[in-house]
Amino acid sequence: MSGGLLVAGTTSDAGKSVVTAGICRWLVRQGVRVAPFKAQNMSLNSFVTREGAEIGRAQAMQAQAARVEPTALMNPVLLKPGGDRSSQVVLMGRPVGEMSARGYHGGRQEALFGTVVDCLEQLRGAYDAVICEGAGSPAEINLRRTDIVNMGVARAAGFPVLVVGDIDRGGVFASFFGTTALLSAEDQSLVAGYLVNKFRGDVSLLEPGLDMLHGLTGRRTYGVLPYAHGLGIDEEDGLRVSMRGTVRESVVAPPHGEDVLRIAVCAVPLMSNFTDVDALAAEPGVVVRFVDRAEELSDADLVVVPGTRGTVRALAWLRERGLADALRRRAAEGRPVLGVCGGFQVLGESIDDEVESRAGLVEGLGLLPVRVRFGREKVLARPTGSALGEPVEGYEIHHGVAEVRGGEPFLDGCRVGAVWGTHWHGSLESDAFRRAFLGEVARASGRRFTAAPDTSFAALREEQLDRLGDLIEEHADTDALWRLIESGAPSGLPFVPPGAPGAGVPAAGLPPRPGPSRDRGSAPEPGPRSPDGPGSPRHELSPRAPGSGTDVSVNEEAL
């Protein structure tokens, strides 16, 4: 089979998300109609599609890289951790229950495989190519039997597998070899080769190792991507968020005015959608940092309490660390505080939660006249409106329903003095509103800060996605990647012992489809890359819109 590729990794955070996005952007530049796909995602960073489905933000970002509208088909299973041992299961964009890790891997996961296959089949029917992202490592042999996201997907679709390794962590050769050697012979037959990520230095010094790896495994390396600073691309967070690791690797541009603004983000437990502050960090002269101590709020011009999957737990954490008292002092002094989603809820008078924490009635920080009651139905919406005289767009993902009992209206929440609260994620990506909001913060803080008049967050994001496409185009063998996508894994790949027993999830029912050849004819023979790349006219497909009117088999009873 052809028309696709699965990007796996030697570890979590090896770079699968950004490589997948980069391949999508490279392909769409060549006129290929391409879609991203991740069968199962574990992340607290999620997004709401236009049809009201919740999916991982990484897949929404990859869809933007592919220049298509994100849909639930691109991420049919989303796991949102609520602790070390349980997660909310979101199926086709809707929550269907909480489940322990043992329960999920004890048979429920396999029952979802039909839904995964149906979604992938629909995407393959509507696009020239589908670029799949794996999860963790395909060599997690304890989970292979129930795998529906790595080799299970590759086997079902007949897709070749490209394994990405992060050389900046060290041990990349051992990781490539070990990953391959721990797979069964059937799985190994689809592992086409490797892609080195985050390389610093002279590639010629790496080449002897790549040659030896080829000799050991019979598999080539398809590219060496250099370490790219300041990408700021939406990623996943697995079971935890590294507070220090969430700070973007970008150099703060000089301020447009005389002063900088310092923004402190409370690194609450189970922090979700911390990408909300990316738009703030994109502004020249704005410094964003994540904090977990009360004294770190003292010099902040704005404190953000972000979203969280554990609102009551976050409230207790703020109190334990003295941050709650620091926030109260700020409010009394008229110093700015912004609460988003769960952060908005903790700033209110009370939280009645019989759903998420089952803690019942809990007293909030009392900074906003709001009472919150958790409902079993999750609110998933894409609201639009205005605030501070400017248009605003956002998205909502929450169980807590807020009863606003006073204050000035602010989006769906309210404002009292210098304390703002809203359920809307993504509102700060609206450029004019963000500038107006930062102007309010500067005035309240006494800072001579002026927001740059021409910062476009959407344009900056497009630039970053183009950078990912450039990394693939300039540092990967794109002709060889094209052959993989079009024709599948090379035949005759050798088995690397010792391998692993078991066939895993059955390779069920995806019929062969023509790859994205369009008018290209047969796949090119190995040789130097053409300077023009594999471009050709876009293939015209039937106008079926992915995600609308889909007929996907969903086995909710398994959960």
Side-chain angles (χ1 to χ4, degrees):
M1 300 184 209
S2 57
L5 174 72
L6 186 133
V7 178
T10 56
T11 62
S12 295
D13 200 32
K16 298 183 293 292
S17 295
V18 294
V19 168
T20 300
I23 293 175
C24 285
R25 178 51 59 101
W26 161 64
L27 284 173
V28 78
R29 285 172 175 175
Q30 313 309 315
V32 177
R33 184 164 165 78
V34 58
F37 178 75
K38 185 160 186 173
Q40 172 192 291
N41 194 346
M42 177 172 280
S43 181
L44 288 172
N45 285 333
S46 58
F47 180 77
V48 179
T49 68
R50 294 205 179 277
E51 76 262 32
E54 184 180 7
I55 65 172
R57 275 197 68 97
Q59 280 59 68
M61 175 270 293
Q62 291 160 358
Q64 185 174 354
R67 295 177 180 149
V68 296
E69 189 69 30
T71 76
L73 293 174
M74 297 171 184
N75 180 206
V77 182
L78 173 64
L79 305 178
K80 303 194 72 175
D84 290 338
R85 296 188 178 182
S86 67
S87 293
Q88 182 181 68
V89 181
V90 179
L91 183 60
M92 293 303 297
R94 292 285 172 181
V96 294
E98 295 279 335
M99 186 165 293
S100 69
R102 181 181 292 274
Y104 185 65
H105 290 285
R108 273 69 170 183
Q109 190 178 31
E110 288 178 279
L112 298 176
F113 194 58
T115 300
V116 166
V117 168
D118 286 348
C119 290
L120 181 53
E121 171 66 354
Q122 288 205 38
L123 290 175
R124 294 181 77 190
Y127 292 92
D128 299 332
V130 179
I131 307 301
C132 306
E133 179 188 347
S137 164
E140 292 166 351
I141 54 179
N142 56 315
L143 303 177
R144 177 62 184 94
R145 182 182 62 82
T146 57
D147 170 38
I148 66 170
V149 64
N150 288 305
M151 300 311 300
V153 166
R155 290 271 294 278
F159 280 174
V161 177
L162 184 69
V163 181
V164 178
D166 179 357
I167 197 170
D168 197 53
R169 293 183 173 186
V172 74
F173 294 118
S175 297
F176 283 145
F177 181 86
T179 297
T180 309
L182 282 176
L183 300 178
S184 67
E186 294 86 349
D187 287 349
Q188 285 192 27
S189 68
L190 294 174
V191 177
Y194 314 111
L195 186 74
V196 177
N197 191 29
K198 298 183 182 178
F199 179 71
R200 308 173 193 249
D202 186 345
V203 175
S204 66
L205 299 177
L206 190 66
E207 288 173 349
L210 301 179
D211 291 339
M212 286 185 274
L213 181 67
H214 183 273
L216 288 166
T217 67
R219 290 160 175 83
R220 59 166 297 177
T221 298
Y222 285 78
V224 178
L225 307 185
Y227 196 107
H229 293 274
L231 284 174
I233 294 295
D234 297 347
E235 297 174 328
E236 297 157 7
D237 51 32
L239 282 170
R240 59 188 172 84
V241 170
S242 169
M243 180 187 67
R244 305 302 176 189
T246 58
V247 181
R248 297 302 189 225
E249 297 180 38
S250 55
V251 177
V252 176
H256 185 72
E258 297 181 48
D259 280 348
V260 299
L261 279 185
R262 295 171 177 85
I263 298 177
V265 184
C266 296
V268 296
L270 299 174
M271 182 164 48
S272 62
N273 286 65
F274 53 80
T275 49
D276 283 337
V277 300
D278 283 357
L280 296 175
E283 283 287 348
V286 173
V287 182
V288 176
R289 67 183 189 272
F290 288 76
V291 304
D292 60 354
R293 295 185 294 271
E295 56 268 29
E296 293 180 287
L297 304 189
S298 61
D299 67 341
D301 301 305
L302 169 67
V303 175
V304 177
V305 187
T308 172
R309 174 81 167 86
T311 303
V312 171
R313 178 176 168 182
L315 181 57
W317 181 87
L318 290 169
R319 286 179 167 135
E320 289 165 3
R321 291 177 172 262
L323 289 160
D325 289 338
L327 289 170
R328 288 193 184 97
R329 286 194 297 271
R330 287 187 66 88
E333 295 166 0
R335 302 178 66 196
V337 176
L338 171 65
V340 180
C341 201
F344 166 42
Q345 295 168 8
V346 304
L347 298 180
E349 297 170 351
S350 63
I351 300 169
D352 190 356
D353 180 14
E354 298 291 350
V355 176
E356 189 176 77
S357 68
R358 297 180 175 85
L361 189 62
V362 178
E363 183 181 354
L365 297 186
L367 304 185
L368 292 174
V370 175
R371 294 179 183 177
V372 176
R373 178 183 294 274
F374 272 63
R376 296 198 177 277
E377 292 296 318
K378 181 183 282 191
V379 176
L380 298 170
R382 290 279 294 267
T384 60
S386 63
L388 305 179
E390 302 294 347
V392 189
E393 296 182 3
Y395 58 99
E396 295 183 62
I397 306 170
H398 54 93
H399 283 278
V401 178
E403 179 190 357
V404 179
R405 301 164 61 86
E408 299 175 40
F410 178 69
L411 302 177
D412 70 327
C414 65
R415 170 188 182 179
V416 174
V419 180
W420 293 265
T422 177
H423 276 128
W424 290 22
H425 294 290
S427 62
L428 294 166
E429 295 179 19
S430 298
D431 296 327
F433 165 70
R434 182 180 64 253
R435 287 192 280 269
F437 177 73
L438 290 175
E440 292 273 322
V441 170
R443 282 188 288 275
S445 302
R447 295 286 186 188
R448 290 175 294 182
F449 170 87
T450 303
D454 56 352
T455 302
S456 167
F457 186 73
L460 289 172
R461 177 172 284 171
E462 275 296 300
E463 289 176 11
Q464 300 292 56
L465 294 173
D466 276 332
R467 287 182 64 195
L468 293 182
D470 292 343
L471 284 175
I472 298 299
E473 191 165 345
E474 296 170 9
H475 300 282
D477 187 338
T478 53
D479 278 350
L481 282 178
W482 188 276
R483 288 192 295 274
L484 283 185
I485 294 167
E486 187 177 56
S487 304
S491 59
L493 291 170
F495 172 71
V496 180
V505 175
L510 288 186
R513 288 192 176 275
S517 57
R518 303 177 309 282
D519 297 323
R520 287 174 52 87
S522 59
E525 293 300 315
R529 284 176 27 188
S530 165
D532 296 326
S536 61
R538 185 176 126 182
H539 180 52
E540 295 299 326
L541 296 167
S542 60
R544 177 169 59 169
S548 62
T550 56
D551 182 17
V552 174
S553 172
V554 177
N555 187 353
E556 294 189 22
E557 293 182 359
L559 302 173

